[in-house]
Amino acid sequence: MIPPMIKLNYAALATGASLDSGTGNVTLFNVLEEVRVPQDRLPIAIPEVAFVGSFTRLEPTVTKMGFTLDYIMPNGKTITVNKSEPQFQGDRIRIVMRLNGMPVEAFGRHKLRLIWRWGHLALAGSEEDDREASFDIFLDVLPFDAAPTGSAIN
């Protein structure tokens, strides 16, 4: 078994995120766990979804990583929405990967899968010495019945 070289510290979905280049601090806006949509309003698009993650390098020979963010709809359709190849500064990498206009065509469990690669050839296109791992984060889209206009809600 290959010893772990990279550790995922955290991952989250939000409607917005900011990464301060000077301090490395991450600010999240409106963390997403689920979205409630009126029963009769699909399809919709969430204007912006940010996938935020933090990784620690456990092996100093790893100098950069490759990231791919895939959106997997409840029907199984997969869309690659973002790719990034940041370099380590110190032993940590913090990433913010944006999905602008996330289409929601059905109720159910939507999945964002972050795939990360490292190794001597990981970013050169060869899989000979690649290491790969992935992490899924879920967003449930749930229906609700909107109250009729003008009625009191108890």
Side-chain angles (χ1 to χ4, degrees):
M1 182 171 138
I2 299 168
M5 300 171 88
I6 303 295
K7 180 178 99 175
L8 172 65
N9 299 314
Y10 66 83
L13 285 180
T15 59
S18 175
L19 178 60
D20 185 298
S21 61
T23 64
N25 290 338
V26 176
T27 302
L28 301 176
F29 306 98
N30 300 318
V31 173
L32 291 172
E33 293 179 73
E34 66 183 37
V35 174
R36 294 188 177 269
V37 179
Q39 184 78 36
D40 60 345
R41 297 283 165 82
L42 287 181
I44 65 164
I46 301 171
E48 180 180 321
V49 174
F51 187 106
V52 180
S54 171
F55 298 83
T56 298
R57 167 177 50 187
L58 302 175
E59 172 58 50
T61 60
V62 176
T63 58
K64 60 181 170 176
M65 296 172 62
F67 294 96
T68 301
L69 183 63
D70 288 341
Y71 171 36
I72 304 164
M73 297 180 189
N75 65 8
K77 181 178 176 182
T78 301
I79 303 169
T80 296
V81 295
N82 204 327
K83 291 187 177 194
S84 178
E85 295 183 358
Q87 294 199 17
F88 279 92
Q89 296 176 347
D91 285 333
R92 278 205 164 165
I93 285 182
R94 291 172 188 88
I95 60 165
V96 175
M97 298 182 83
R98 299 182 197 293
L99 170 55
N100 294 317
M102 179 177 170
V104 176
E105 298 173 356
F107 295 109
R109 177 156 280 185
H110 296 252
K111 184 180 345 183
L112 287 168
R113 175 172 291 152
L114 183 68
I115 303 164
W116 62 92
R117 298 168 312 286
W118 68 95
H120 299 294
L121 304 174
L123 304 174
S126 171
E127 295 184 16
E128 203 173 302
D129 193 50
D130 264 0
R131 307 289 188 266
E132 183 175 284
S134 66
F135 178 79
D136 292 344
I137 193 161
F138 300 98
L139 178 63
D140 291 322
V141 177
L142 306 172
F144 75 91
D145 291 325
T149 306
S151 69
I153 299 175
N154 295 328

